[in-house]
Amino acid sequence: MAQEPLAADAKPWRSSEETPFIKLRNITKVFGDFTAVDDVSLDIYKSELFCLLGGSGSGKSTLLRMLAGFELPTSGTIEIDGQDMAGVPAYARPTNMMFQSYALFPHMTVEKNVAYGLLRDGVSKTEVKNQVGDMLALVQMSELAKRKPHQLSGGQKQRVALARSLIKRPKVLLLDEPLGALDKKLREETQFELVNIQESLGITFIVVTHDQEEAMTLACRIGVMDQGRIVQIGEPEEVYEYPNSRFVADFIGSVNMFEGRVIEDDDDFVRIQSEDAGCEIYVSHGVSCSPNQTLWFAIRPEKLEITKKKPKGSTNIISGIVEDIAYLGNLSTYRVRLDSGKIMRLTRTNRARSDEDKITWEDKVYITWDDKAGVVLTS
Ligand code: ADP
Ligand code: MG
């Protein structure tokens, strides 16, 4: 699902010696008595594709608009490329914004739409022609250069808008739900193209999206937003494998969550009693918690094994009845009703010729997992 990440030496956020390109410090935005963005501090690096991911109303667009200079922070500072943005109007910032409603000029051809910004800046005609040609080639719109916006599909308009917002080579491109108007299939294709374009230009992209799969596909790093706050920042794999809260675990991907209580807390393992799961859960790494503390064990559907035969051992085994199976081609999804009444969701790859342990509706099954496969959450 995730893109092939940048090479290990191109992950500046992993080094404390790298200087961030964009620095947000304690940014808050209040509308009346409503806090839309709440004390956000964030570093973004040069050539990074950073995604702000969150549900509707979580403050993503407001944060982006403050970067663009369309909205002023109530408090806090924004620095881009070493320059404090306080008092710098939108047009003088090293940023450009691509809007979801592509806002193309309807009476101008594709070519002219893209050329507009350069011509207005007095760039010579030959130079404009060259640059527009290169940019249309990059977004694969060369052949449709003479068309007008109403003669284009949604995906094509999106490409023109992208070309237009990149033609002046902003240092930072801000994209608010850039693929929001496209249907699912086109959206997925376009995600990869967007990544390719971003990588080939090396421009820093900040993309707002509410779609977690999209964020996973596009981003070098994701900042997860909830109620105006950034609740976790990490590489896609990090936020998926190591969510830091129930909110993030639940928001990104699908997860089974069990409430429990610590019954044994050692340096390198914990045992959790969970009525929710109806079994004892053993986790083979230390967890910072206090004795008897309530916490949550979260495990992804693809990390679970399902069998009809009772496995050996006494921890990390849950039994239940198969309530539903969805065949998805390469994998199947099972919904199992546990003895505790809770529904557990798991997926299994469909191997050819695996009839010997075929599982069907109403079967009694056992679910097990590796003692490192889940995460323990304390908030
Ligand atoms: P998102 O992009 O994550 O969906 P927004 O940043 O657009 O969220 O909005 C965050 C919250 O701030 C919402 O509750 C929205 O209603 C509120 N908000 C945004 N802009 C304004 C405004 N100009 N005046 C009042 N409230 C606003
Ligand atoms: Mg928005």
Side-chain angles (χ1 to χ4, degrees):
M1 180 160 44
Q3 61 162 315
E4 181 59 25
L6 298 173
D9 60 357
K11 294 186 188 299
W13 48 89
R14 292 188 181 181
S15 156
S16 56
E17 277 151 38
E18 295 281 345
T19 309
F21 192 58
I22 301 173
K23 285 191 205 173
L24 275 67
R25 291 294 177 269
N26 310 102
I27 290 291
T28 293
K29 179 68 187 183
V30 178
F31 293 111
D33 58 2
F34 180 77
T35 305
V37 172
D38 190 0
D39 197 26
V40 166
S41 292
L42 174 64
D43 287 337
I44 296 174
Y45 293 83
K46 202 166 174 52
S47 302
E48 184 174 4
L49 199 167
F50 191 93
C51 274
L52 286 167
L53 170 68
S56 173
S58 58
K60 307 179 295 295
S61 296
T62 305
L63 190 54
L64 206 67
R65 292 170 58 78
M66 287 191 280
L67 278 157
F70 299 144
E71 207 81 75
L72 294 178
T74 307
S75 59
T77 58
I78 297 174
E79 193 183 299
I80 302 178
D81 199 11
Q83 193 193 356
D84 187 348
M85 289 293 121
V88 180
Y91 66 83
R93 294 194 180 195
T95 54
N96 197 359
M97 174 98 104
M98 193 183 112
F99 295 95
Q100 186 184 343
S101 59
Y102 307 128
L104 300 175
F105 300 120
H107 57 285
M108 285 187 196
T109 61
V110 164
E111 210 170 41
K112 294 221 166 94
N113 261 285
V114 178
Y116 182 79
L118 292 178
L119 288 171
R120 205 181 44 179
D121 283 0
V123 179
S124 77
K125 284 225 164 102
T126 351
E127 182 59 24
V128 170
K129 193 164 185 293
N130 289 339
Q131 287 195 31
V132 170
D134 288 351
M135 193 54 77
L136 288 180
L138 186 69
V139 300
Q140 300 172 43
M141 285 294 292
S142 309
E143 279 162 32
L144 304 180
K146 304 286 180 208
R147 288 211 187 161
K148 293 211 171 142
H150 74 271
Q151 297 168 309
L152 302 174
S153 71
Q156 291 162 346
K157 279 186 211 161
Q158 193 269 346
R159 284 154 197 260
V160 180
L162 185 62
R164 202 175 62 166
S165 55
L166 286 169
I167 191 83
K168 286 168 74 178
R169 309 281 165 139
K171 287 182 181 161
V172 183
L173 185 64
L174 308 168
L175 304 98
D176 196 345
E177 307 271 359
L179 312 177
L182 310 183
D183 62 50
K184 191 170 161 55
K185 190 148 182 295
L186 187 58
R187 216 178 148 117
E188 282 167 8
E189 287 167 22
T190 313
Q191 284 164 8
F192 289 103
E193 286 169 14
L194 196 62
V195 170
N196 290 338
I197 292 169
Q198 189 269 336
E199 283 180 349
S200 68
L201 295 175
I203 290 174
T204 308
F205 276 29
I206 305 178
V207 178
V208 158
T209 179
H210 65 275
D211 179 331
Q212 50 100 8
E213 273 182 41
E214 184 158 293
M216 297 287 285
T217 310
L218 293 177
C220 301
R221 285 186 307 154
I222 297 173
V224 184
M225 289 194 74
D226 181 31
Q227 296 178 42
R229 293 179 162 263
I230 294 217
V231 292
Q232 186 167 5
I233 299 173
E235 292 169 30
E237 196 184 321
E238 236 171 343
V239 287
Y240 185 80
E241 297 289 345
Y242 306 103
N244 63 4
S245 65
R246 282 179 289 158
F247 174 82
V248 176
D250 198 44
F251 191 75
I252 298 188
S254 166
V255 75
N256 297 288
M257 197 102 62
F258 297 107
E259 187 172 325
R261 191 170 55 77
V262 180
I263 49 173
E264 193 179 353
D265 176 13
D266 195 272
D267 278 352
D268 41 44
F269 73 88
V270 283
R271 286 196 304 128
I272 300 164
Q273 183 63 52
S274 168
E275 277 175 30
D276 234 8
C279 83
E280 204 177 284
I281 297 168
Y282 179 87
V283 179
S284 66
H285 58 75
V287 172
S288 93
C289 58
S290 37
N292 261 315
Q293 183 181 337
T294 296
L295 33 66
W296 293 267
F297 179 72
I299 188 156
R300 303 282 184 197
E302 72 274 14
K303 305 270 161 85
L304 299 163
E305 299 279 341
I306 180 171
T307 59
K308 285 201 284 193
K309 221 175 100 197
K310 190 173 198 297
K312 293 201 182 75
S314 58
T315 53
N316 302 356
I317 300 174
I318 303 183
S319 64
I321 304 288
V322 176
E323 198 168 88
D324 215 349
I325 306 174
Y327 177 72
L328 303 170
N330 56 341
L331 46 86
S332 290
T333 299
Y334 298 81
R335 279 163 50 90
V336 176
R337 183 172 294 278
L338 306 183
D339 300 339
S340 70
K342 204 175 158 85
I343 298 284
M344 201 160 181
R345 206 169 161 274
L346 59 116
T347 51
R348 186 159 90 147
T349 0
N350 292 322
R351 284 151 285 195
R353 296 180 294 139
S354 76
D355 254 12
E356 76 276 9
D357 199 25
K358 192 165 164 50
I359 290 163
T360 184
W361 279 261
E362 301 299 326
D363 276 350
K364 170 154 177 135
V365 290
Y366 296 89
I367 298 170
T368 59
W369 60 91
D370 185 88
D371 53 25
K372 289 190 184 67
V375 284
V376 179
L377 303 170
T378 52
S379 66

